[in-house]
Amino acid sequence: MSAVISTSPTTGPDRWHHYGASSHGRRSISRLHWDWYQRTGPGDELLGDLTDRAVAELGAGAGHQAAYVAAELGAARVTAIDSSPAQYTRGRDFYADVCGLDFVYSDAAAYLQTHPDSFDIAYSIFGAVDFSDPQILLPASELALRPGGVLVFSTLAHYRNGAPPETECRPADIPTRMPDGRPGTMQRWVLNSPVWNELLVESGFDVMHCHTVHDPGREGEAPVTTTLFRARKKRGS
């Protein structure tokens, strides 16, 4: 069975319209990378055994990772959620033939809130967890996961210019381009580990794993540290 394509409404200009626009199709992936430069650190093992499991990617972009999870890791169903019309269309066009893969055009939190107890695993690789209010998205993720379900995500441990992360749950405005080319901004949550840990616990998760991956950067690249979280929904939640 080929990918099922679902839609739900989102609002506002598409701040990801130009991101990945130069991509010419599928991307060959041999494993998951969670770090910023996509070349080091843990891989597929962070998701655990996906055999017969329902998986959601929160902020799936063009669907490269979701297609790999669906095709190679044995998941029963992978739901790739993204609020960008452009990214949703790219993913659908690239991977609509991948069995067990659904593309959903929606705000991640809104979709999860309307699909309680639907997933065994949810993950985000610099995706919706970075660009959604965690005080809304994390409880929505807890709601959508079945008891004992797992949330895995990677996020920036500091701002890309080297500035330290926030010590409170507050976003920063970062530059982007609007669909018509004009400069704009969008919100990104760059929080330190204790803040993420507290938010996860308050949302009904037990934090099982918190790890940082530091890449000093190759020539011309800025050093970037990635924080990885693996948390389990409390069984009595």
Side-chain angles (χ1 to χ4, degrees), residues 84-102:
S84 161
Q87 292 288 66
Y88 162 78
T89 299
R90 289 179 193 117
R92 179 193 61 191
D93 290 347
F94 295 163
Y95 300 110
D97 64 333
V98 174
C99 292
L101 178 58
D102 301 342

Side-chain angles (χ1 to χ4, degrees), residues 30-35 39-48 68-69 73 123 125 152 209 211 213 228 230:
S30 59
R31 55 160 277 182
L32 288 181
H33 284 96
W34 302 85
D35 61 299
R39 60 192 179 207
T40 189
D44 305 345
E45 67 272 14
L46 285 186
L47 295 181
Y68 169 77
V69 172
L73 299 187
Y123 72 96
I125 304 175
V152 186
H209 177 91
H211 179 63
V213 178
L228 311 177
R230 191 171 192 268

Side-chain angles (χ1 to χ4, degrees), residues 7-25:
T7 61
S8 58
T10 58
T11 58
D14 184 0
R15 288 165 168 80
W16 297 94
H17 179 83
H18 298 283
Y19 187 84
S22 61
S23 176
H24 298 295

